[in-house]
Amino acid sequence: MRIALADDSALFRQGLELLLAAAGIEVILSVRSGAELLARIVDPLPDVVILDIRMPPTFMDEGLKTAESIRESWPKLPVLALSTYGETTFANRLLSPDPAGRGYLLKDRVDDLETLVTALTRLTRGEAVVDPEIIRQLMSRPRADTRLESLSEREREVLRLMAEGRSNSAIAADLVVSGKTVESHVASIFTKLGLLSKTSDNRRVLAVLTWLRGAR
Amino acid sequence: MSSLARKVGVLSETTATSCPFPPARQAGVLAAGIGVVSSGLWGLTIVWPLVATTPWLAFAIVFFGLCLVLAGLILSWESSQLMSSVALAIAGILWPLGWIDSWGGGPRPLIAMYAPPLAIILGAYAMYRYPDPVLLRHKDRRWLAILVIWVFVGRTLVVVTSRPSWYDEPELSWWPNVIEHRQTYDTVLTISHTGNAILALAFLVAWIQRTKKATRLPGSFALPPAAAGVIAGVTQIISSLISGYVTDPLFKAAASATHAWVLSLVPIAFVFSVLRRRLTFESVGRLIQDIAGRPTPVGVQECLRSALGVPDLTLVFFSRDMGSYVNVHGTRTDIHSIRVPSLPIRASDGKLLATIFVPSLGQIPAELVASVLSAGALAIENAQLQAELQAHLAEARASRLRIVEAALLERRRLERDLHDGAQQRLLALKLSLAAIQSADPERAKQLLAQARADAGSAVDELRALARGLHPPLLTQAGLAAAVEANVERLKIRSRIDLPTTRYPFAVEATGYYVISEALTNIIRHADATSVQILGDQMGQWLRIVVQDDGVGGASLQRGTGLQGLSDRVQALGGTLTIESPQARGTAIIAELPCE
């Protein structure tokens, strides 16, 4: 796998390159800003672009802007955004309008080589990836809406995995149940939360995230 | 009203005495119309025989009489001028009687002899009482009595020593002649006329002096009558002199006509002046009413606008405390950019209160502006205090906001420092450790060394950051020790003399902050070779001075650093002063309440 990397901390880039090398992943481009990345990215394209969200010049949301530019120029190029803080508003922006091949992870997740490699692999397959920690925070948030509490323990687990961007088959494998069981859980969840069903695995990530963010 | 009147001073006399105009305006106009018409008819009837022979004289006589009556009627609008008004009306009725002898003998020549001087005296009396009857003093009354006596005694002496025919009157007239002696008569006549001329001159001088006194404030109200009075007085003198020596009847008639025309100027000027005064005081009266109901800066500005009839008037107050101008909303204002005619408003003690800016200032009668500003003086002074207070509050609010912003900015900077520094190092450390797990022993050894170095750097950065947040030495050993430790790290010659007393935490922290920021400024901008940091407790105040020998020219306005310092010191209830003459170093002086 070939990676392009943009992060303003040379130290972090160096560490990440080191770690990815250990997993046999090659960093073909390592730059300190989104603008530099867009300027230097060439064919053959990398398999995934890893972006820090906060980069020069304004240190606000340059990573997201870069991701938007990438979506315009190379819609199919997967992007993994890294952030020191888990901000769901950033996750939503990154994943909209099409979450396919878009990932959002916390920075301190990346020393877990297995998680990182899994995320990169899922992205190359066109899946969406949302950091489990962010989903955990969202689901444990106190809210006036009691619909979430009406879900069974199992359904909550399914919801969490959906929000992380897992497909039905991945959820089934994870929970060691059949695909049909997962499907019925999903249908039940959608009914209980009042969401539109019949969405693709990727699209439903956004729906679930939006619901989790909005219904307080 | 009473306190306002006292404050307003000069004007109060005039406003208090002449403000109330009768509300029955229509009735007044009707009465004036009737008065004018009937006095015109009266005059015309008396001089009717002259209309045929010398119509220009007849008309001049009737016209002057009419003017006197009209002036009397209009003057009656001002209650304080009632006596003058009556005097003028009587004078207007008497005046044509001076020519009643044109109808023939009997008592008429005698009436004609006495009526005009009486009319002139009454006119003079009215003039003298205007615009301020209060100023008619005892001395003046005595003087008027002398005038009356002189004129009548003179006339009587002339009559008793002459024959009617010497006056071109029919011999059958009533004429109480006692000695009929031509030489005596000539002498008496000369003395009488010379005396009249002298008295007229004396009257003029007294009148001018009096007018000067009366015109302290609503000045030019008295100016048109004064000018007319001077002209009329001079004419009266000439007329007095001529009538003694000229015998040609036609020449005499021409002189009389000219005399009457010129005298008409006086009542005309009166009417003009009264109307102007009335207009002015109506708006001043309105202003006083309005202002009482709207004692705010904006309200006062509105009242001045309507009183002067200029909607684009701008009132800007001067705050001596702040050394700057403040608009009606209590915001600091730079008046130098306003390119509009302006007029300063001063308090009774002469200190500048405010300035009004009026684009059309030149077109407003000066006396109106002066009266309005006088009448509004107290309200303007109050409004000035209010605006100043508002400005102070706004400054305090702005200062508080700046403190909050500075604190937020500081937190943002901290977050940045943490994020970009220690946090990234720790993340890198995590990555190194992860890499070590999957590395061969030789490589792992290298990576471990790297990881240790990263951990060390992270600790260093956190320590520096923590010290920047709050120097631990300040809490442990006090201001003097913390400042010494801070200065040791700087490459500048320094002398530190701070009290080793321990002060409340907020005082020490603020003092430390002031000194640190001052030092930062010195290193960055002052180009100084040495610095003195001195502290001194005087009673409840800790005075800290940071003096350098650099380029100077620092000020609160230039650069936000010093403003931030000032805000912090003020938040503690202290003051921050900056003395920074060009090229002669900068002294930053903070006075902090320390108990």
Side-chain angles (χ1 to χ4, degrees):
Chain A
M1 204 188 292
R2 296 155 70 251
I3 299 289
L5 173 60
D7 190 307
D8 59 305
S9 166
L11 216 58
F12 181 81
R13 286 205 310 270
Q14 212 182 323
L16 194 59
E17 281 168 36
L18 207 69
L19 193 66
L20 288 172
I25 297 171
E26 186 192 356
V27 175
I28 57 163
L29 183 61
S30 175
V31 293
R32 58 179 299 277
S33 75
E36 211 175 319
L37 180 100
L38 291 173
R40 291 180 51 187
I41 203 163
V42 283
D43 270 330
L45 291 176
D47 296 307
V48 182
V49 172
I50 300 180
L51 288 171
D52 185 12
I53 286 192
R54 210 160 87 162
M55 282 189 293
T58 65
F59 295 96
M60 286 165 74
D61 59 353
E62 278 75 13
L64 293 178
K65 286 188 181 140
T66 310
E68 278 154 17
S69 303
I70 289 173
R71 193 192 283 284
E72 275 175 31
S73 307
W74 307 282
K76 298 243 183 266
L77 179 55
V79 173
L80 175 64
L82 299 177
S83 170
T84 314
Y85 310 102
E87 299 295 351
T88 51
T89 165
F90 284 171
N92 251 35
R93 222 177 114 185
L94 182 77
L95 267 52
S96 300
D98 179 10
R102 296 268 146 163
Y104 183 84
L105 283 187
L106 287 176
K107 255 190 176 176
D108 47 338
R109 180 85 47 210
V110 297
D111 64 327
D112 181 352
L113 193 56
E114 199 191 318
T115 308
L116 185 59
V117 173
T118 311
L120 290 172
T121 315
R122 280 173 57 197
L123 287 171
T124 53
R125 286 203 303 259
E127 286 181 37
V129 175
V130 180
D131 196 290
E133 173 62 20
I134 293 173
I135 305 305
R136 196 189 57 75
Q137 279 174 15
L138 271 181
M139 288 190 58
S140 60
R141 192 150 73 177
R143 60 189 77 219
D145 193 312
T146 53
R147 283 180 287 178
L148 200 59
E149 283 154 36
S150 69
L151 300 186
S152 70
E153 194 59 38
R154 224 335 108 86
E155 283 167 348
R156 287 166 71 92
E157 247 174 304
V158 173
L159 177 68
R160 183 174 58 79
L161 291 168
M162 276 199 297
E164 285 174 21
R166 303 299 183 93
S167 63
N168 278 4
S169 51
I171 295 171
D174 218 37
L175 299 180
V176 205
V177 291
S178 73
K180 275 224 174 321
T181 315
V182 173
E183 273 170 37
S184 73
H185 281 315
V186 170
S188 165
I189 292 167
F190 271 58
T191 312
K192 284 181 179 173
L193 298 187
L195 288 168
L196 287 172
S197 54
K198 297 254 179 189
T199 44
S200 72
D201 290 350
N202 278 333
R203 299 279 178 185
R204 75 184 183 191
V205 178
L206 265 181
V208 170
L209 268 185
T210 307
W211 191 91
L212 285 174
R213 288 185 63 211
R216 298 190 176 197
Chain B
M1 174 73 201
S2 66
S3 66
L4 183 67
R6 222 177 299 126
K7 196 93 192 172
V8 173
V10 171
L11 195 80
S12 63
E13 286 175 17
T14 35
T15 30
T17 51
S18 62
C19 222
F21 296 105
R25 190 172 294 196
Q26 281 179 330
V29 170
L30 192 70
I34 292 169
V36 168
V37 170
S38 50
S39 82
L41 288 174
W42 160 257
L44 212 58
T45 312
I46 291 169
V47 299
W48 189 250
L50 289 179
V51 176
T53 54
T54 45
W56 34 273
L57 176 61
F59 286 123
I61 292 159
V62 173
F63 182 73
F64 178 51
L66 237 157
C67 285
L68 285 172
V69 171
L70 186 66
L73 283 169
I74 286 176
L75 205 60
S76 70
W77 278 338
E78 296 189 30
S79 61
S80 70
Q81 296 290 328
L82 201 66
M83 289 298 285
S84 308
S85 145
V86 171
L88 280 174
I90 294 174
I93 293 162
L94 284 177
W95 175 257
L97 288 174
W99 285 265
I100 199 170
D101 52 345
S102 56
W103 284 94
R108 296 187 199 97
L110 210 54
I111 293 171
M113 198 72 184
Y114 285 95
L118 194 58
I120 296 288
I121 286 167
L122 285 170
Y125 167 73
M127 258 172 83
Y128 215 81
R129 289 182 88 247
Y130 186 83
D132 201 344
V134 180
L135 293 177
L136 193 65
R137 280 194 223 96
H138 213 66
K139 198 180 72 186
D140 303 319
R141 295 217 179 92
R142 207 164 49 206
W143 189 88
L144 268 171
I146 292 170
L147 184 71
V148 173
I149 291 164
W150 176 265
V151 169
F152 281 90
V153 169
R155 288 263 141 167
T156 308
L157 281 176
V158 167
V159 169
V160 296
T161 55
S162 65
R163 296 180 60 82
S165 57
W166 298 354
Y167 275 90
D168 306 321
E169 302 290 1
E171 282 299 331
L172 287 174
S173 308
W174 296 5
W175 205 260
N177 57 336
V178 182
I179 44 173
E180 196 189 318
H181 187 264
R182 187 78 204 200
Q183 215 168 0
T184 318
Y185 162 77
D186 281 343
T187 316
V188 168
L189 194 67
T190 308
I191 291 170
S192 166
H193 280 312
T194 314
N196 284 356
I198 290 168
L199 283 171
L201 196 69
F203 170 78
L204 257 184
V205 173
W207 155 261
I208 289 166
Q209 275 180 350
R210 209 199 132 291
T211 307
K212 258 191 194 160
K213 226 185 288 170
T215 52
R216 268 177 304 180
L217 223 142
S220 49
F221 290 123
L223 199 68
V230 170
I231 296 167
V234 172
T235 318
Q236 184 66 39
I237 294 166
I238 295 166
S239 158
S240 291
L241 294 175
I242 288 174
S243 59
Y245 307 103
V246 175
T247 46
D248 177 31
L250 196 65
F251 189 85
K252 257 188 160 171
S256 292
T258 313
H259 188 194
W261 283 120
V262 173
L263 284 178
S264 304
L265 286 176
V266 179
I268 289 171
F270 252 84
V271 169
F272 181 67
S273 177
V274 168
L275 289 178
R276 260 176 51 150
R277 232 164 88 96
R278 191 192 153 131
L279 276 178
T280 302
F281 288 120
E282 262 186 358
S283 68
V284 171
R286 211 171 44 228
L287 172 82
I288 290 169
Q289 265 183 350
D290 287 356
I291 253 175
R294 310 166 73 181
T296 61
V298 176
V300 168
Q301 178 176 267
E302 278 306 310
C303 290
L304 291 179
R305 282 176 177 175
S306 70
L308 291 174
V310 275
D312 50 359
L313 174 145
T314 310
L315 179 63
V316 180
F317 300 101
F318 180 71
S319 163
R320 264 202 300 188
D321 279 11
M322 304 167 78
S324 74
Y325 284 85
V326 171
N327 69 12
V328 288
H329 305 291
T331 316
R332 262 180 205 265
T333 306
D334 179 22
I335 63 157
H336 304 291
S337 56
I338 308 177
R339 296 257 169 273
V340 159
S342 65
L343 195 72
I345 304 172
R346 292 179 189 281
S348 42
D349 59 359
K351 69 173 188 205
L352 181 62
L353 278 183
T355 301
I356 51 166
F357 293 90
V358 189
S360 55
L361 190 64
Q363 290 154 33
I364 309 170
E367 69 270 19
L368 176 61
V369 178
S371 308
V372 164
L373 293 186
S374 272
L378 186 65
I380 292 169
E381 204 164 345
N382 285 338
Q384 186 256 355
L385 289 175
Q386 275 189 50
E388 202 170 17
L389 189 68
Q390 278 177 10
H392 274 302
L393 282 175
E395 297 265 296
R397 228 175 281 132
S399 159
R400 208 168 54 217
L401 195 69
R402 281 197 299 267
I403 290 175
V404 171
E405 274 176 353
L408 291 175
L409 220 72
E410 185 65 15
R411 291 173 72 131
R412 225 183 103 182
R413 194 182 62 78
L414 270 173
E415 189 272 341
R416 273 277 288 280
D417 286 354
L418 278 169
H419 176 272
D420 295 350
Q423 219 168 18
Q424 297 303 321
R425 286 190 189 281
L426 288 172
L427 278 173
L429 180 62
K430 273 183 95 176
L431 288 168
S432 300
L433 292 173
I436 289 165
Q437 275 188 324
S438 52
D440 60 80
E442 193 53 34
R443 179 80 177 125
K445 231 176 167 179
Q446 277 179 8
L447 290 171
L448 266 175
Q450 175 65 45
R452 260 189 77 187
D454 283 347
S457 305
V459 170
D460 286 347
E461 272 178 26
L462 282 172
R463 191 191 296 119
L465 208 60
R467 187 185 289 120
L469 272 181
H470 181 77
L473 204 57
L474 185 60
T475 328
Q476 288 160 6
L479 185 61
V483 170
E484 268 166 39
N486 191 359
V487 173
E488 272 169 19
R489 283 194 284 273
L490 305 173
K491 293 189 179 70
I492 188 163
R493 213 150 27 90
S494 61
R495 184 167 87 83
I496 301 169
D497 186 5
L498 287 167
T500 47
T501 328
R502 295 302 306 263
Y503 294 104
F505 169 67
V507 177
E508 287 188 340
T510 308
Y512 182 81
Y513 176 76
V514 167
I515 294 168
S516 306
E517 284 292 307
L519 287 171
T520 308
N521 273 346
I522 290 169
I523 303 295
R524 279 196 196 145
H525 310 296
D527 195 19
T529 58
S530 77
V531 60
Q532 293 189 51
I533 302 164
L534 310 173
D536 203 356
Q537 189 181 343
M538 287 175 294
Q540 298 187 343
W541 293 87
L542 173 63
R543 183 181 149 98
I544 296 171
V545 182
V546 182
Q547 170 81 58
D548 68 53
D549 60 353
V551 294
S555 75
L556 272 182
Q557 279 73 39
R558 285 174 48 197
T560 51
L562 290 172
Q563 182 65 61
L565 272 191
S566 176
D567 289 341
R568 285 248 320 231
V569 171
Q570 274 178 30
L572 203 68
T575 55
L576 187 90
T577 330
I578 291 156
E579 289 169 8
S580 188
Q582 285 292 344
R584 285 165 58 197
T586 299
I588 291 179
I589 302 145
E591 285 174 308
L592 308 170
C594 60
E595 265 165 34

